[in-house]
Every structure is written in structure tokens, then in C-alpha cells.
Amino acid sequence: MTLAEFAPQFAAFAEKYDQFIICGHIRPDGDSIGSCITIAERLRLMGKHPRIYYEGDLSHYPWLTQPVEILDEKTLSRATCCRFGWIMVDCAEPARTGEAAVCADLAETSVCIDHHTNMGEYADYNLIDPGATSASEIIFRLFKALDYPFNPTMATALFTGIAFDTGGFRHSSMKPEIFGILQELSKQDVPITRVMNGLFHTKSMLEMKVLSVIMRKARLYHGRIIVSWLENSDFLKLGATSDDCEGAVADLAEVEEAEAAVFLRELPNGQVRVNMRSKHFINVAAAAKAFGGGGHVRAAGCTLSGPMLLAREAVISELAKQLPEDF
Ligand code: AMP
Ligand code: MN
Ligand code: MN
């Protein structure tokens, strides 16, 4: 659906229901949290009863205000027992929402607002734009089309979403219009310094130590693919968990020689979660898709069965297929 087609459908959907469940993908990031908050805040101001389902840690985003009741794995079923509309943001398919995937069957009507490489249209109404920097950008445009005004809660949430998904306005997804959007949002008292420092320049002491181990283990494959990994034994030694290495792949990608960066972590169940980034020509979404994952051309992820060594070799050889012959 185009924005012009979707906007009136969204307005009618917002009018039709009293209760809403809003969710993004598991392990919520700045864009999915910012998108959920903005829609929840709008529905709340309309006198509705929206709730947000998050599956994962929110503690890295202390500047974001949660305007409505938050649901988790334990409280979700309480919200799905009545008539509700379902809103899925920053998420291409119900399975990526975690436990909230049950809403696909339980909701009377569903809408999806997303910018991932198109994996299909799963909701009743879909606004999907793979050319958008972020779901937050799409929501900004939707609210403009519907004349929904922004307040500081919404503006801070959307600013965070756009800043997060563009890596601080650096990624190749950036376009001139984004600066106009940021200017308009900034007028609503967005705490820009806090947002940017919180997103890109804040690590706990433990996260810093974990990063130093990741950097020590990093290797350059085929001269262009930087790879590092942490196994369960590393986490045990460091007294760390999977949450303590969330941004590591971006730090690996800073290595000048690297066209692609890969970070693999062993999960407690022995599976291996993979984060991938690229700079110019490798399509990491295509590589992630080969392992049942997804994402964007320059940032994607997937989860493989272990062991680590085999997962690492499989991912490296999949990415190496995209290197020019002379590598
Ligand atoms: P990450 O490396 O976790 O920061 O993810 C980079 C991008 O790929 C984000 O847009 C994610 O939503 C997407 N992504 C990560 N893992 C998966 C997966 N298993 N399936 C689909 N998309 C994914
Ligand atoms: Mn996301
Ligand atoms: Mn996003």
C-alpha cells in the first residue's frame, strides 16, 4: 500500500478499536521502541487504550518515556483476551515479534509499518517502504499525512529511531529530507545530546571489557571480512551475557580494511546468533536470508545452529561469494 492509501485506513483502524497491542521485533532497538512509543502516545491522546509488548531489555534507552502500560511474556495473554487491533512496527513478519506472534491469529485487524527488505505482507494493512531509513521515518510521514501533531514524547522517540537506524546519520540510507524531519522534531524539546550519547557513546565498564576481548579475537578473512565471536565459555569468564555485546559489530566495522563485519555469539542453548554489517557492495541481507534470517542490505542478522566453528565458516563462505574474483 502507498502512504496515500494506507493513511485513511490507519485513521479508520485507530477510530474503530478501543484496545490496541503494539509491538516491534524481539530484542527491541531504538527504532522499534521509538516507533511503538509514538503510536502508543498518539492512540493514548485519542482516548484509546493502547499497550506495548516488548520482548527484551529496554535499559539502554533510559531517556525514552513509556507513555502506556508495557506488556511482557507474562502479561501478554491478559491483553489478547479482549477485542483489539494489532500494530506491528519495524518488523517484517509476525515470527520476529516473539511471543506476540499469537496476535496474528487473535487480533481482529492488524497493521504493519516497516522498512525491512520486503518479506511479504502479513497484516491486513501494510505500509512497507524498504527505501526508508527507519520505521520511525515512515511513522513521521504517516502522522504528517494525517495531521497528527508531534509532542516531546513522540518527537524524542522518532528522533531516537531515525538516529539509531542511520548509525547517527552516517549510513548510506541517509537522504537530505531526513535533516528536514530532524529539524521539525527537534523543535519539540528533543534532548539531542542525551539521545546521541546514549545511543552511540555509552558503555558500562563490563561492556568495554567484553569489547576488548572481541577486538583481541578479531580476524580479517579474505582481507575484507572482519570476524569476531564470543562463546559461552568467554561469557562465563567475563561474567557477561549476550546483552553486553549488542553494539560490537559496529565497532568491528570501523576497521578500515573491512568491507563486511561479522559478530557471532553463542547463545545459552548452543545456537549462534550472527550480526552482519557491510559498507559498499556486499548485500548482507541476502547472506542472512540464506540462513533463514533477514534485515537490510547494509545491516542484517540470522541465527544458526552451532557449533561456533561451523557457523563461522558457513557465514564467511556465504559472504565471500560476493567478493570480486581477485579476492
Ligand atoms: P542486528 O544485527 O541484530 O542489529 O540486526 C540488523 C538488522 O537485521 C535489523 O534490522 C534486524 O531487525 C534484522 N535482523 C536481525 N536478525 C534477524 C533475523 N534473524 N531475521 C530477520 N531479520 C533480522
Ligand atoms: Mn530494528
Ligand atoms: Mn528499523
Side-chain angles (χ1 to χ4, degrees):
M1 258 183 178
T2 63
L3 176 61
E5 290 161 344
F6 182 87
Q9 298 292 351
F10 182 84
F13 165 81
E15 211 44 66
K16 182 171 176 187
Y17 294 94
D18 175 52
Q19 312 253 345
F20 295 87
I21 298 178
I22 306 165
C23 67
H25 54 78
I26 53 167
R27 290 186 301 276
D29 60 25
D31 186 32
S32 51
I33 302 171
S35 299
C36 288
I37 288 175
T38 305
I39 291 180
E41 173 69 349
R42 174 67 208 173
L43 292 169
R44 186 186 73 78
L45 291 171
M46 289 167 77
K48 304 289 181 161
H49 294 98
R51 286 183 270 205
I52 309 176
Y53 174 78
Y54 291 120
E55 192 167 315
D57 180 28
L58 301 177
S59 63
H60 285 96
Y61 302 89
W63 62 89
L64 292 179
T65 317
Q66 298 294 338
V68 300
E69 187 194 343
I70 300 304
L71 300 169
D72 60 18
E73 288 97 319
K74 290 189 197 82
T75 51
L76 179 66
S77 58
R78 187 158 50 78
T80 54
C81 59
C82 54
R83 183 172 179 257
F84 69 98
W86 185 35
I87 304 164
M88 182 166 89
V89 293
D90 194 36
C91 188
E93 50 177 344
R96 286 276 295 153
T97 66
E99 298 289 323
V102 295
C103 297
D105 292 326
L106 299 175
E108 197 172 271
T109 309
S110 56
V111 308
C112 173
I113 300 172
D114 186 42
H115 69 120
H116 288 86
T117 307
N118 209 337
M119 316 240 299
E121 303 205 329
Y122 292 86
D124 297 312
Y125 301 104
N126 299 278
L127 181 58
I128 296 169
D129 178 5
T133 54
S134 51
S136 299
E137 176 193 339
I138 304 175
I139 292 167
F140 175 90
R141 295 185 195 285
L142 174 67
F143 280 24
K144 290 298 281 181
L146 289 168
D147 274 330
Y148 293 168
F150 299 103
N151 66 16
T153 298
M154 295 161 161
T156 301
L158 293 182
F159 190 105
T160 298
I162 296 171
F164 179 85
D165 266 19
T166 57
F169 322 122
R170 291 178 303 117
H171 291 164
S172 57
S173 55
M174 269 304 283
K175 347 167 232 201
E177 314 92 85
I178 299 300
F179 291 108
I181 294 176
L182 298 169
Q183 185 184 23
E184 184 166 344
L185 293 173
S186 306
K187 289 178 187 151
Q188 295 291 327
D189 288 334
V190 175
I192 298 174
T193 306
R194 183 142 193 242
V195 174
M196 300 307 283
N197 282 341
L199 287 178
F200 302 111
H201 304 284
T202 306
K203 283 183 183 66
S204 69
M205 196 59 204
L206 180 58
E207 285 170 326
M208 197 60 101
K209 290 218 153 79
V210 169
L211 185 60
S212 77
V213 174
I214 293 170
M215 289 304 169
R216 211 167 54 230
K217 292 176 72 157
R219 300 275 176 281
L220 205 53
Y221 290 80
H222 304 283
R224 298 301 295 271
I225 304 172
I226 186 154
V227 181
S228 191
W229 61 93
L230 287 181
E231 292 172 272
N232 280 326
S233 55
D234 297 310
F235 286 116
L236 210 62
K237 254 184 271 168
L238 286 157
T241 70
S242 178
D243 286 340
D244 299 311
C245 48
E246 238 7 276
V249 70
D251 295 296
L252 288 167
E254 285 187 15
V255 169
E256 190 176 15
E257 296 86 339
E259 158 59 21
V262 182
F263 176 66
L264 307 96
R265 74 189 82 176
E266 190 178 6
L267 301 174
N269 66 7
Q271 288 185 312
V272 175
R273 195 179 134 211
V274 185
N275 310 112
M276 292 185 257
R277 301 289 183 269
S278 68
K279 293 180 188 165
H280 306 292
F281 59 87
I282 289 184
N283 179 344
V284 288
K289 214 167 174 182
F291 301 109
H296 311 279
V297 175
R298 301 272 166 263
C302 54
T303 300
L304 278 71
S305 55
M308 175 61 78
L309 184 64
L310 290 184
R312 197 161 72 224
E313 283 176 355
V315 170
I316 294 167
S317 68
E318 189 60 40
L319 289 168
K321 286 182 193 164
Q322 296 189 44
L323 288 175
E325 293 267 312
D326 46 331
F327 280 103

